[in-house]
C-alpha cells in the first residue's frame, strides 16, 4: 500500500507513518519539516500548503491512501483540489471539538469557518475543523472517512494530560483529585488511533466517526493508573470540589496549574461520546494500564522532561493544605458539671 501523510513529523501523524512503515507500507511524508524529524523509512518531501504551488513537490504521484490531520481550511482545500483524483481513499482526522454543545449529548456542530481561512487561533479550532471536514466530504464523498478524535494520549503526547497523572501517581502520597469521583472521562491511545487510521484507509471505510474509547469514571481512571504503575508508593486521591479548586487558582483540562481531564460541569458530555460506531468500524482499544506503562517507559528514557500540564508539587501542597484546613472539624469540649 502506498500512503501519503500530509504532516507526518509530529505526534499522531508521525505515529501513523511509523505504524504504516512497520506494517510494510510504502510511506511518503509531506510537510514543511518544522515540527520534527520525519520517521525513519519514510520518503520525505518538503511542501508548504500556505503557498499556492506548495504541493508541487508531489508531482503527479498517485497513492492508495492519503491521511491529513490539518486544522487549516485553506491547507485542506488546496490538498483536496490537487490530490483528490490521485488517491483511492482519504482519511481526515478531525476532532470532537467540532461539536458546539457539551451540556447534552448531541451532534450539533459549530458553523464552519470560511474554507479559505489560512490563519487560525485556538478559539476557531472547532469551526476550522468543521470546514475541513466539509471540504473532504464534498470532494471525495464515499472515498473518504472523517475520524473525530477525542483526547489522544500516550508516549509523545505534547500536552501531557495522561503523563501528569502517571508521574504524580508514581510519587505517591496524598494526591489532589478534581471534582466528582464519578465524573466521566474518555481517551484514545495514539497507537490505537494510528492503527485504526491505516485499517480505515486500507478497507476504504467511509463515514464520520468519533475516534474515542469507552467511558469510565475519573475515580476508576485514577485507580487504574495507580494499579498499573510498577511502584511501591501508594498515591491516595483526595477529592476537592470544583468551586474550591477554582477559588484556589486550579485550571481545567490542560496546561500549567491544571488538573488534567477536569472539565466544567457544562462540558460533561465532551467526554461521553459514543464508542460503539467506531468499534463496529474496526477501532480496537488497548487497556489503560498498557497505555500508562507505554508512557512510563518513554518517561524513564527521558526523565528530565518537563510536563506541559499539571500542578507543581508546591501548588498542590498549598491547595491540599487549604483543603485540610477547610474540612477540619474541631472537638467541642464537654460542658463542665462543677464536680471535677
Amino acid at each position: 500500500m502506498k500512503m501519503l501523510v500530509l504532516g507526518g513529523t509530529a505526534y499522531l501523524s508521525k505515529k501513523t507513518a511509523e505504524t504504516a512503515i512497520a506494517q510494510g507500507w510504502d510511506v511518503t511524508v509531506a510537510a514543511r519539516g518544522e515540527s520534527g524529524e520525519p520517521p525513519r523509512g519514510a520518503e520525505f518531501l518538503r511542501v508548504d500548503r500556505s503557498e499556492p504551488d506548495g504541493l508541487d513537490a508531489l508531482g503527479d504521484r498517485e497513492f492508495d491512501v492519503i491521511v491529513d490531520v490539518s486544522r487549516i481550511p485553506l491547507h485542506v482545500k488546496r490538498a483536496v483540489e490537487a490530490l483528490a483524483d490521485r488517491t483511492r481513499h482519504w482519511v481526515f482526522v478531525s476532532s470532537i471539538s467540532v461539536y458546539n454543545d457539551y451540556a447534552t449529548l448531541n451532534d450539533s456542530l459549530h458553523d464552519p469557518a470560511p474554507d479559505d481561512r489560512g490563519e487560525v487561533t485556538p478559539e476557531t479550532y472547532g469551526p476550522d475543523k468543521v470546514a475541513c471536514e466539509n471540504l473532504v466530504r464534498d470532494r471525495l464523498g464515499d472515498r473518504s472517512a472523517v475520524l473525530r478524535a477525542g483526547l489522544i494520549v500516550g508516549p509523545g503526547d505534547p500536552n501531557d494530560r495522561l503523563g501528569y497523572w502517571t508521574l504524580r501517581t508514581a510519587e505517591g502520597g496524598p494526591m489532589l483529585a478534581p471534582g466528582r469521583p464519578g465524573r466521566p472521562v474518555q481517551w484514545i491511545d495514539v497507537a490505537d488511533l494510528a492503527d485504526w487510521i491505516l485499517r480505515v484507509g486500507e478497507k476504504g471505510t467511509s463515514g464520520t466517526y468519533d475516534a474515542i474509547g469507552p467511558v469510565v469514571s475519573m475515580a476508576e481512571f485514577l485507580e487504574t493508573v495507580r494499579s498499573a504503575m510498577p511502584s511501591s508508593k501508594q498515591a491516595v486521591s483526595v477529592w476537592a470540589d470544583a468551586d474550591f479548586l477554582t477559588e484556589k487558582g486550579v485550571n481545567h483540562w490542560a496546561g500549567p496549574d491544571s488538573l488534567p481531564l477536569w472539565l466544567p460541569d457544562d462540558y460533561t458530555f465532551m467526554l461521553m461520546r459514543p464508542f460503539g460506531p467506531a468499534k463496529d468500524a474496526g477501532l480496537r482499544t488497548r487497556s489503560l494500564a498498557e497505555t500508562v506503562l507505554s508512557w512510563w517507559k518513554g518517561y524513564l528514557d527521558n526523565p528530565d522532561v518537563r510536563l506541559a500540564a499539571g500542578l507543581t508539587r508546591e501548588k498542590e501542597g498549598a491547595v491540599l493544605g487549604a483543603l485540610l484546613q477547610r474540612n477540619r472539624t474541631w472537638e467541642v469540649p464537654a460542658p463542665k458539671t462543677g464536680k471535677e
Side-chain angles (χ1 to χ4, degrees), residues 40-255:
R40 182 176 299 177
E43 178 187 16
F44 174 68
L45 295 177
R46 195 174 302 279
V47 303
D48 185 353
R49 286 190 274 175
S50 63
E51 300 295 334
D53 58 354
L55 292 170
D56 286 358
L58 290 168
D60 59 358
R61 300 183 188 205
E62 296 186 353
F63 303 92
D64 295 301
V65 181
I66 291 178
V67 176
D68 192 7
V69 300
S70 179
R71 58 164 295 183
I72 302 176
L74 179 60
H75 290 187
V76 174
K77 183 177 184 179
R78 285 175 171 163
V80 296
E81 287 175 349
L83 301 169
D85 294 330
R86 291 195 266 148
T87 187
R88 180 181 57 80
H89 205 67
W90 195 294
V91 183
F92 179 71
V93 181
S94 187
S95 166
I96 59 170
S97 293
V98 297
Y99 300 112
N100 70 358
D101 178 13
Y102 299 109
T104 60
L105 186 59
N106 66 74
D107 293 335
S108 176
L109 304 180
H110 289 286
D111 292 332
D115 64 11
D116 59 351
R117 193 208 297 271
E119 296 182 1
V120 294
T121 66
E123 292 72 27
T124 65
Y125 183 66
D128 292 331
K129 279 291 195 180
V130 175
C132 294
E133 289 185 5
N134 291 344
L135 285 161
V136 172
R137 287 195 208 91
D138 290 348
R139 184 64 180 81
L140 286 111
D142 61 7
R143 292 192 296 119
S144 67
V146 172
L147 311 183
R148 292 172 175 162
L151 173 63
I152 305 173
V153 301
D157 174 13
N159 296 303
D160 292 319
R161 284 164 287 200
L162 174 68
Y164 171 77
W165 291 115
T166 301
L167 186 58
R168 179 62 190 85
T169 298
E171 293 178 357
M175 179 177 72
L176 190 63
R180 297 176 288 106
R183 183 174 51 80
V185 294
Q186 271 182 308
W187 64 90
I188 185 167
D189 188 295
V190 64
D192 293 337
L193 181 51
D195 182 67
W196 190 40
I197 288 169
L198 299 186
R199 281 184 282 114
V200 165
E202 184 176 22
K203 294 180 179 180
T205 304
S206 63
T208 300
Y209 304 89
D210 290 326
I212 194 67
V215 178
V216 303
S217 71
M218 187 67 184
E220 182 181 352
F221 172 86
L222 292 180
E223 175 58 23
T224 303
V225 174
R226 188 194 67 78
S227 299
M229 290 301 296
S231 171
S232 60
K233 298 179 181 178
Q234 298 293 312
V236 178
S237 297
V238 180
W239 296 90
D241 61 86
D243 289 343
F244 176 82
L245 292 173
T246 300
E247 175 190 328
K248 296 304 177 183
V250 179
N251 297 324
H252 292 100
W253 189 237

